[in-house]
């Protein structure tokens, strides 16, 4: 089991996510100031539970290992919050689009997510429905659940996590509670899945298409590394027009494509500085490593997003 609860620390927040079966991900800070985030990961042989609270406007693209599937259950949020291109509501849970992709952006939010072996989950759901696993397909994107069941599960999960943290704090050698919590949350979300109604096929196809466009653009960005990127390059990589690319990023990340990737580079430069020694030239290395060749402009854009200059971050 891993427990990470560190405010205002992007590196620690990302470290918690490394305990999950995520093939790759990007965390992009969009709001100004320091990132406010806490994360707790608990796991057993069956599943991994990820409880997160993010207090700053931000965007995440996470791709699960293809042998896993997942469910995200929003517990609370403020202002707009989108998951997989869909505006979050209190009577839905969220599964991957395009098989393994979770896309989230918004302001302050608290979520709990579960990752479980795809085959194990399929076998469980099929057994509960008394059908052959080969005849069952997992849902994609948002799936609606009865409002009373959603409210009851939300209260139960919040209480379970609070109890586990209390036991963990008071009795650090006690492990049974963590095992109990994972099993209860897994059973809870499996039950909700059983009661769920998927979005109409047309909406699911739309969200999957938007997710694939963002995934293709992200893969091109990662292949380029610190090199220059242009709208034409991104459109070519995603095989779409400029208007379609703008629409996909507007829905999925709330930013224009170029601003999305600029903020991603700034966020990753900050992570690099947070983990660097406070040595001469470290800021220059971080800037160049993330595609910023004009150091004065880098410092100003960095300050505009994080409320401090790179040297200040480095000194932390």
């Amino acid at each position: 089991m891993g427990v990470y609860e560190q405010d205002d620390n992007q590196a620690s927040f990302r470290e918690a996510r490394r305990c999950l079966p995520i093939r790759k991900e990007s965390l992009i800070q969009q709001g100004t100031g320091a990132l406010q985030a806490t994360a707790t990961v608990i796991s057993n042989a069956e599943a991994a539970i990820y409880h997160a609270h993010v207090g700053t406007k931000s965007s995440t693209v996470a791709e699960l290992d293809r042998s896993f599937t997942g469910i995200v259950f929003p517990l609370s949020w403020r202002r707009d919050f989108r998951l997989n291109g869909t505006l979050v509501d209190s009577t839905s849970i969220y599964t991957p689009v395009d098989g393994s992709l979770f896309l989230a952006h918004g302001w302050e939010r608290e979520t709990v997510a579960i990752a479980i072996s795809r085959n194990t989950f399929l076998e469980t759901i099929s057994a509960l429905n008394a059908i052959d696993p080969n005849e069952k397909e997992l849902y994609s994107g948002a799936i609606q659940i009865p409002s009373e069941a959603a409210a009851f599960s939300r209260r139960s999960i919040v209480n379970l996590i609070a109890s586990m943290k209390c036991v963990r704090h008071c009795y650090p050698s006690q492990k049974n509670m963590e095992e109990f919590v994972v099993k209860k949350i897994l059973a809870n979300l499996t039950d909700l899945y059983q009661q769920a109604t998927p979005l109409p096929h047309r909406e699911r196809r739309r969200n999957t298409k938007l997710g694939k466009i963002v995934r293709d653009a992200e893969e091109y960005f990662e292949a380029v590394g610190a090199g220059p990127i242009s709208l034409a390059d991104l459109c070519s990589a995603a095989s779409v027009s400029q208007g379609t690319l703008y629409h996909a990023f507007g829905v999925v990340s709330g930013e224009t494509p170029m601003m999305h990737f600029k903020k991603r580079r700034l966020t990753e430069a900050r992570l690099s500085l947070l983990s660097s020694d406070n040595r001469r030239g470290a800021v220059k290395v971080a800037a160049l490593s993330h595609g910023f060749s004009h150091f004065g402009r880098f410092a100003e854009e960095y300050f505009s997003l994080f409320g401090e200059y790179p040297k200040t971050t480095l000194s932390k």
Side-chain angles (χ1 to χ4, degrees):
M1 192 209 89
V3 176
Y4 301 83
E5 295 179 56
Q6 179 67 49
D7 286 330
D8 191 14
N9 189 327
Q10 291 161 312
S12 182
F13 186 67
R14 178 168 284 185
E15 186 64 30
R17 300 177 70 88
R18 290 198 178 110
C19 296
L20 301 172
I22 294 176
R23 191 171 77 86
K24 59 184 178 180
E25 68 160 344
S26 61
L27 170 67
I28 303 103
Q29 182 171 324
Q30 296 172 323
T32 57
L35 181 72
Q36 300 293 323
T38 64
T40 303
V41 179
I42 56 174
S43 61
N44 65 7
E46 297 179 85
I49 307 292
Y50 175 69
H51 174 237
H53 181 273
V54 180
T56 307
K57 187 180 180 185
S58 59
S59 174
T60 301
V61 180
E63 184 176 352
L64 287 172
D65 183 303
R66 284 278 181 175
S67 63
F68 283 78
T69 190
I71 298 173
V72 175
F73 189 15
L75 299 177
S76 63
W77 58 95
R78 184 175 65 88
R79 301 172 70 172
D80 288 350
F81 174 29
R82 286 183 180 270
L83 264 168
N84 298 335
T86 302
L87 198 62
V88 164
D89 63 56
S90 60
T91 58
S92 294
I93 56 177
Y94 299 82
T95 55
V97 291
D98 200 21
S100 61
L101 199 62
F102 280 108
L103 311 124
H105 86 84
W107 297 79
E108 182 177 357
R109 70 253 191 197
E110 181 183 11
T111 58
V112 65
I114 185 167
I116 184 171
S117 160
R118 181 180 296 274
N119 288 340
T120 299
F121 193 62
L122 259 175
E123 288 169 3
T124 301
I125 296 299
S126 300
L128 291 170
N129 288 277
I131 61 174
D132 188 308
N134 295 321
E135 298 176 6
K136 178 70 177 176
E137 288 188 7
L138 296 179
Y139 295 139
S140 174
I143 50 179
Q144 194 163 33
I145 50 179
S147 57
E148 290 185 4
F152 176 79
S153 292
R154 191 170 285 110
R155 289 193 300 269
S156 298
I157 289 172
V158 168
N159 290 336
L160 280 166
I161 292 172
S163 297
M164 188 213 70
K165 289 182 178 180
C166 180
V167 170
R168 178 76 178 176
H169 177 73
C170 299
Y171 309 100
S173 62
Q174 176 62 261
K175 301 296 182 183
N176 292 340
M177 185 63 182
E178 295 157 10
E179 182 79 13
F180 172 77
V181 168
V182 173
K183 287 186 175 182
K184 289 291 287 185
I185 292 178
L186 175 57
N188 197 310
L189 292 180
T190 301
D191 181 60
L192 286 181
Y193 191 93
Q194 286 292 98
Q195 302 178 58
T197 304
L199 287 174
H201 182 65
R202 183 176 180 178
E203 289 187 53
R204 279 182 283 152
R205 283 189 61 191
R206 165 192 167 273
N207 291 343
T208 297
K209 181 180 178 181
L210 294 178
K212 186 177 185 307
I213 291 169
V214 172
R215 185 206 297 266
D216 289 345
E218 289 265 342
E219 288 182 347
Y220 174 79
F221 170 83
E222 289 164 5
V224 169
I229 57 172
S230 68
L231 274 174
D233 294 332
L234 295 172
C235 289
S236 177
S239 302
V240 294
S241 67
Q242 184 172 311
T244 301
L245 187 74
Y246 265 85
H247 174 68
F249 273 85
V251 171
V252 169
S253 78
E255 297 277 11
T256 65
M258 297 303 288
M259 184 58 70
H260 172 91
F261 288 116
K262 176 183 282 189
K263 288 184 176 179
R264 178 173 173 182
R265 282 181 164 171
L266 287 167
T267 301
E268 291 180 351
R270 179 174 174 81
L271 286 167
S272 177
L273 290 171
L274 284 168
S275 61
S276 296
D277 295 329
N278 190 356
R279 65 183 186 279
R280 185 181 179 88
V283 171
K284 181 178 179 180
V285 169
L288 290 173
S289 298
H290 294 92
F292 298 98
S293 56
H294 191 295
F295 304 128
R297 188 177 303 134
F298 167 67
E300 291 303 319
E301 290 177 344
Y302 190 100
F303 180 86
S304 178
L305 185 58
F306 303 119
E308 65 185 25
Y309 287 107
K311 286 185 178 180
T312 305
T313 302
L314 185 64
S315 69
K316 293 180 176 180

